[in-house]
Amino acid sequence: MKLTISSILLCTPLVVLAAPSQLVPVTRAAAAPKSLRVIGASVLGSGCPYGSAEVKADSSNTIFDIRLSEYVVESGPNTQAADWRKNCKLTLNLQYDEGYQFTTLSTDMRGYAIIPSGVQGHCSNTVDFTGQRGEASYDLTLQGGEGPFSLSSRADAQIWSACGGGTAIMNMNTQCWISPPEKRALIALTVRVALQWRSC
């Protein structure tokens, strides 16, 4: 029988591992442009099939909550390879005043996990902009317990949208997987993205 979110027992705290060099201090986001419009926000991937994801923005269009009802990674008996790894790619198309550029101030991954001894859960996130070279990425590891988790990480090397235009398309690809797949384990995930702005 497969695990479900409702079957999770909250017991011992979960251990979150991240390389110190990948984390930087939290800073306040600069004011967004006065004119800012979300042209499109879409998701695609095994962790967010059509109709299972919802993207909501706050009143400033700088914080985006991505609710992923089917982003559940699980391993153990009666599971298949497609269950052991999931991904979700968020594409965010923004239109704003010229003379600004933006990056991700933070990406928060929140959810539930069951990671028994001898098993590791792993999540990675990669951010890039359509039409630009380069990307920013980081990895996080879960191990040793059951219960809710909250991962807040900032990429050590940020990537900014290009200057000179009033539009940009940001792509963020989140992946989570469990290894080895023989033991019963689970990760269920939602994502929050905060944007940081600056003048060119």
Side-chain angles (χ1 to χ4, degrees):
M1 179 178 177
K2 288 188 178 183
L3 293 171
T4 63
I5 295 175
S6 61
S7 71
I8 296 175
L9 300 174
L10 306 183
C11 300
T12 56
L14 199 68
V15 177
V16 179
L17 302 178
S21 63
Q22 294 175 318
L23 302 180
V24 296
V26 176
T27 57
R28 290 180 60 87
K34 291 182 180 179
S35 174
L36 175 60
R37 187 163 69 96
V38 179
I39 299 174
S42 62
V43 291
L44 177 68
S46 58
C48 50
Y50 181 78
S52 69
E54 182 181 11
V55 180
K56 286 189 174 182
D58 71 347
S59 59
S60 67
N61 284 333
T62 58
I63 297 178
F64 295 84
D65 283 308
I66 305 107
R67 298 179 182 179
L68 307 168
S69 62
E70 294 190 27
Y71 203 128
V72 179
V73 184
E74 51 188 323
S75 61
N78 301 319
T79 63
Q80 305 175 42
D83 301 317
W84 309 334
R85 176 187 296 263
K86 294 287 176 73
N87 82 294
C88 185
K89 181 180 179 181
L90 167 69
T91 298
L92 189 62
N93 189 350
L94 299 183
Q95 184 177 58
Y96 46 88
D97 298 329
E98 292 187 11
Y100 284 87
Q101 61 182 164
F102 70 93
T103 187
T104 54
L105 174 66
S106 67
T107 302
D108 297 327
M109 302 181 193
R110 301 175 185 179
Y112 294 94
I114 299 175
I115 308 293
S117 177
V119 177
Q120 282 195 349
H122 197 84
C123 292
S124 68
N125 193 44
T126 302
V127 178
D128 64 67
F129 288 93
T130 299
Q132 291 182 222
R133 300 177 107 185
E135 63 182 29
S137 62
Y138 63 86
D139 299 89
L140 296 163
T141 300
L142 299 167
Q143 65 180 22
E146 305 178 16
F149 68 89
S150 179
L151 311 177
S152 181
S153 186
R154 285 134 311 266
D156 187 38
Q158 292 178 319
I159 181 170
W160 290 83
S161 62
C163 278
T167 63
I169 300 174
M170 185 189 76
N171 307 296
M172 186 189 74
N173 190 21
T174 298
Q175 298 185 67
C176 289
W177 61 93
I178 295 171
S179 180
E182 292 79 19
K183 289 187 177 181
R184 192 178 295 279
L186 177 144
I187 301 172
L189 190 70
T190 62
V191 181
R192 168 174 282 192
V193 181
L195 304 183
Q196 179 180 8
W197 292 87
R198 72 182 181 188
S199 300
C200 293

PDB file of all heavy atoms in Angstrom, residues 172-189:
ATOM      1  N   MET A 172      12.076  28.133 -13.224  1.00  0.00           N
ATOM      2  CA  MET A 172      12.563  27.520 -11.995  1.00  0.00           C
ATOM      3  C   MET A 172      12.168  26.053 -11.997  1.00  0.00           C
ATOM      4  O   MET A 172      10.985  25.722 -12.074  1.00  0.00           O
ATOM      5  CB  MET A 172      11.965  28.212 -10.773  1.00  0.00           C
ATOM      6  CG  MET A 172      12.553  27.712  -9.462  1.00  0.00           C
ATOM      7  SD  MET A 172      11.678  28.346  -8.032  1.00  0.00           S
ATOM      8  CE  MET A 172      10.173  27.368  -8.118  1.00  0.00           C
ATOM      9  N   ASN A 173      13.156  25.169 -11.948  1.00  0.00           N
ATOM     10  CA  ASN A 173      12.901  23.733 -11.993  1.00  0.00           C
ATOM     11  C   ASN A 173      13.291  23.099 -10.661  1.00  0.00           C
ATOM     12  O   ASN A 173      14.462  23.064 -10.296  1.00  0.00           O
ATOM     13  CB  ASN A 173      13.680  23.087 -13.139  1.00  0.00           C
ATOM     14  CG  ASN A 173      13.252  21.648 -13.380  1.00  0.00           C
ATOM     15  OD1 ASN A 173      12.169  21.239 -12.997  1.00  0.00           O
ATOM     16  ND2 ASN A 173      14.109  20.878 -14.012  1.00  0.00           N
ATOM     17  N   THR A 174      12.286  22.618  -9.933  1.00  0.00           N
ATOM     18  CA  THR A 174      12.508  21.955  -8.649  1.00  0.00           C
ATOM     19  C   THR A 174      12.399  20.447  -8.840  1.00  0.00           C
ATOM     20  O   THR A 174      11.457  19.969  -9.463  1.00  0.00           O
ATOM     21  CB  THR A 174      11.457  22.417  -7.628  1.00  0.00           C
ATOM     22  OG1 THR A 174      11.593  23.817  -7.413  1.00  0.00           O
ATOM     23  CG2 THR A 174      11.630  21.704  -6.305  1.00  0.00           C
ATOM     24  N   GLN A 175      13.369  19.698  -8.303  1.00  0.00           N
ATOM     25  CA  GLN A 175      13.351  18.239  -8.371  1.00  0.00           C
ATOM     26  C   GLN A 175      13.560  17.668  -6.976  1.00  0.00           C
ATOM     27  O   GLN A 175      14.331  18.209  -6.188  1.00  0.00           O
ATOM     28  CB  GLN A 175      14.470  17.717  -9.275  1.00  0.00           C
ATOM     29  CG  GLN A 175      14.389  18.164 -10.721  1.00  0.00           C
ATOM     30  CD  GLN A 175      15.473  17.504 -11.552  1.00  0.00           C
ATOM     31  OE1 GLN A 175      15.470  16.291 -11.761  1.00  0.00           O
ATOM     32  NE2 GLN A 175      16.415  18.299 -12.031  1.00  0.00           N
ATOM     33  N   CYS A 176      12.872  16.583  -6.673  1.00  0.00           N
ATOM     34  CA  CYS A 176      13.100  15.845  -5.428  1.00  0.00           C
ATOM     35  C   CYS A 176      13.137  14.354  -5.741  1.00  0.00           C
ATOM     36  O   CYS A 176      12.389  13.879  -6.602  1.00  0.00           O
ATOM     37  CB  CYS A 176      11.999  16.113  -4.404  1.00  0.00           C
ATOM     38  SG  CYS A 176      12.032  17.767  -3.682  1.00  0.00           S
ATOM     39  N   TRP A 177      14.010  13.636  -5.051  1.00  0.00           N
ATOM     40  CA  TRP A 177      14.075  12.191  -5.244  1.00  0.00           C
ATOM     41  C   TRP A 177      14.507  11.510  -3.950  1.00  0.00           C
ATOM     42  O   TRP A 177      15.012  12.151  -3.028  1.00  0.00           O
ATOM     43  CB  TRP A 177      15.015  11.817  -6.389  1.00  0.00           C
ATOM     44  CG  TRP A 177      16.446  12.226  -6.247  1.00  0.00           C
ATOM     45  CD1 TRP A 177      17.468  11.487  -5.740  1.00  0.00           C
ATOM     46  CD2 TRP A 177      17.033  13.482  -6.638  1.00  0.00           C
ATOM     47  NE1 TRP A 177      18.652  12.192  -5.792  1.00  0.00           N
ATOM     48  CE2 TRP A 177      18.403  13.409  -6.346  1.00  0.00           C
ATOM     49  CE3 TRP A 177      16.519  14.641  -7.204  1.00  0.00           C
ATOM     50  CZ2 TRP A 177      19.266  14.481  -6.590  1.00  0.00           C
ATOM     51  CZ3 TRP A 177      17.377  15.698  -7.454  1.00  0.00           C
ATOM     52  CH2 TRP A 177      18.737  15.609  -7.149  1.00  0.00           C
ATOM     53  N   ILE A 178      14.278  10.207  -3.897  1.00  0.00           N
ATOM     54  CA  ILE A 178      14.589   9.393  -2.726  1.00  0.00           C
ATOM     55  C   ILE A 178      15.526   8.268  -3.147  1.00  0.00           C
ATOM     56  O   ILE A 178      15.336   7.643  -4.189  1.00  0.00           O
ATOM     57  CB  ILE A 178      13.309   8.798  -2.113  1.00  0.00           C
ATOM     58  CG1 ILE A 178      12.415   9.919  -1.573  1.00  0.00           C
ATOM     59  CG2 ILE A 178      13.639   7.807  -1.012  1.00  0.00           C
ATOM     60  CD1 ILE A 178      11.038   9.444  -1.152  1.00  0.00           C
ATOM     61  N   SER A 179      16.536   7.988  -2.303  1.00  0.00           N
ATOM     62  CA  SER A 179      17.502   6.930  -2.603  1.00  0.00           C
ATOM     63  C   SER A 179      18.003   6.303  -1.304  1.00  0.00           C
ATOM     64  O   SER A 179      18.254   7.021  -0.330  1.00  0.00           O
ATOM     65  CB  SER A 179      18.678   7.517  -3.389  1.00  0.00           C
ATOM     66  OG  SER A 179      19.618   6.520  -3.692  1.00  0.00           O
ATOM     67  N   PRO A 180      18.138   4.958  -1.278  1.00  0.00           N
ATOM     68  CA  PRO A 180      17.715   3.981  -2.287  1.00  0.00           C
ATOM     69  C   PRO A 180      16.207   3.801  -2.252  1.00  0.00           C
ATOM     70  O   PRO A 180      15.572   4.119  -1.235  1.00  0.00           O
ATOM     71  CB  PRO A 180      18.444   2.712  -1.863  1.00  0.00           C
ATOM     72  CG  PRO A 180      18.585   2.841  -0.383  1.00  0.00           C
ATOM     73  CD  PRO A 180      18.775   4.304  -0.105  1.00  0.00           C
ATOM     74  N   PRO A 181      15.613   3.267  -3.314  1.00  0.00           N
ATOM     75  CA  PRO A 181      14.153   3.213  -3.404  1.00  0.00           C
ATOM     76  C   PRO A 181      13.498   2.006  -2.730  1.00  0.00           C
ATOM     77  O   PRO A 181      12.278   1.903  -2.736  1.00  0.00           O
ATOM     78  CB  PRO A 181      13.919   3.157  -4.920  1.00  0.00           C
ATOM     79  CG  PRO A 181      15.120   2.443  -5.447  1.00  0.00           C
ATOM     80  CD  PRO A 181      16.263   2.883  -4.577  1.00  0.00           C
ATOM     81  N   GLU A 182      14.281   1.092  -2.146  1.00  0.00           N
ATOM     82  CA  GLU A 182      13.704  -0.133  -1.602  1.00  0.00           C
ATOM     83  C   GLU A 182      12.907   0.100  -0.322  1.00  0.00           C
ATOM     84  O   GLU A 182      11.914  -0.565  -0.056  1.00  0.00           O
ATOM     85  CB  GLU A 182      14.807  -1.161  -1.322  1.00  0.00           C
ATOM     86  CG  GLU A 182      15.477  -1.719  -2.567  1.00  0.00           C
ATOM     87  CD  GLU A 182      16.514  -0.758  -3.142  1.00  0.00           C
ATOM     88  OE1 GLU A 182      16.962   0.155  -2.399  1.00  0.00           O
ATOM     89  OE2 GLU A 182      16.867  -0.920  -4.331  1.00  0.00           O
ATOM     90  N   LYS A 183      13.350   1.059   0.521  1.00  0.00           N
ATOM     91  CA  LYS A 183      12.666   1.313   1.787  1.00  0.00           C
ATOM     92  C   LYS A 183      11.539   2.325   1.598  1.00  0.00           C
ATOM     93  O   LYS A 183      11.611   3.205   0.751  1.00  0.00           O
ATOM     94  CB  LYS A 183      13.659   1.845   2.825  1.00  0.00           C
ATOM     95  CG  LYS A 183      14.655   0.815   3.323  1.00  0.00           C
ATOM     96  CD  LYS A 183      15.478   1.381   4.478  1.00  0.00           C
ATOM     97  CE  LYS A 183      16.434   0.347   5.044  1.00  0.00           C
ATOM     98  NZ  LYS A 183      17.214   0.889   6.184  1.00  0.00           N
ATOM     99  N   ARG A 184      10.522   2.214   2.452  1.00  0.00           N
ATOM    100  CA  ARG A 184       9.381   3.104   2.380  1.00  0.00           C
ATOM    101  C   ARG A 184       9.768   4.501   2.880  1.00  0.00           C
ATOM    102  O   ARG A 184      10.269   4.671   3.990  1.00  0.00           O
ATOM    103  CB  ARG A 184       8.227   2.556   3.222  1.00  0.00           C
ATOM    104  CG  ARG A 184       6.902   3.263   2.990  1.00  0.00           C
ATOM    105  CD  ARG A 184       5.806   2.626   3.829  1.00  0.00           C
ATOM    106  NE  ARG A 184       5.532   1.259   3.434  1.00  0.00           N
ATOM    107  CZ  ARG A 184       4.762   0.913   2.408  1.00  0.00           C
ATOM    108  NH1 ARG A 184       4.229   1.842   1.649  1.00  0.00           N
ATOM    109  NH2 ARG A 184       4.550  -0.364   2.143  1.00  0.00           N
ATOM    110  N   ALA A 185       9.558   5.524   2.032  1.00  0.00           N
ATOM    111  CA  ALA A 185       9.877   6.909   2.380  1.00  0.00           C
ATOM    112  C   ALA A 185       8.974   7.826   1.569  1.00  0.00           C
ATOM    113  O   ALA A 185       8.360   7.402   0.583  1.00  0.00           O
ATOM    114  CB  ALA A 185      11.352   7.217   2.098  1.00  0.00           C
ATOM    115  N   LEU A 186       8.886   9.091   1.991  1.00  0.00           N
ATOM    116  CA  LEU A 186       7.973  10.019   1.332  1.00  0.00           C
ATOM    117  C   LEU A 186       8.441  11.458   1.484  1.00  0.00           C
ATOM    118  O   LEU A 186       8.971  11.843   2.534  1.00  0.00           O
ATOM    119  CB  LEU A 186       6.567   9.865   1.922  1.00  0.00           C
ATOM    120  CG  LEU A 186       5.468  10.802   1.422  1.00  0.00           C
ATOM    121  CD1 LEU A 186       4.142  10.070   1.347  1.00  0.00           C
ATOM    122  CD2 LEU A 186       5.333  12.024   2.330  1.00  0.00           C
ATOM    123  N   ILE A 187       8.244  12.264   0.437  1.00  0.00           N
ATOM    124  CA  ILE A 187       8.413  13.715   0.481  1.00  0.00           C
ATOM    125  C   ILE A 187       7.204  14.329  -0.217  1.00  0.00           C
ATOM    126  O   ILE A 187       6.885  13.959  -1.344  1.00  0.00           O
ATOM    127  CB  ILE A 187       9.690  14.189  -0.241  1.00  0.00           C
ATOM    128  CG1 ILE A 187      10.947  13.567   0.373  1.00  0.00           C
ATOM    129  CG2 ILE A 187       9.795  15.715  -0.214  1.00  0.00           C
ATOM    130  CD1 ILE A 187      12.212  13.842  -0.425  1.00  0.00           C
ATOM    131  N   ALA A 188       6.503  15.246   0.456  1.00  0.00           N
ATOM    132  CA  ALA A 188       5.403  16.003  -0.148  1.00  0.00           C
ATOM    133  C   ALA A 188       5.762  17.481  -0.050  1.00  0.00           C
ATOM    134  O   ALA A 188       6.194  17.952   1.001  1.00  0.00           O
ATOM    135  CB  ALA A 188       4.095  15.717   0.574  1.00  0.00           C
ATOM    136  N   LEU A 189       5.573  18.243  -1.135  1.00  0.00           N
ATOM    137  CA  LEU A 189       6.216  19.547  -1.258  1.00  0.00           C
ATOM    138  C   LEU A 189       5.282  20.631  -1.766  1.00  0.00           C
ATOM    139  O   LEU A 189       4.424  20.391  -2.611  1.00  0.00           O
ATOM    140  CB  LEU A 189       7.397  19.412  -2.228  1.00  0.00           C
ATOM    141  CG  LEU A 189       8.367  20.584  -2.357  1.00  0.00           C
ATOM    142  CD1 LEU A 189       9.199  20.731  -1.092  1.00  0.00           C
ATOM    143  CD2 LEU A 189       9.283  20.356  -3.554  1.00  0.00           C
TER     144      LEU A 189
END
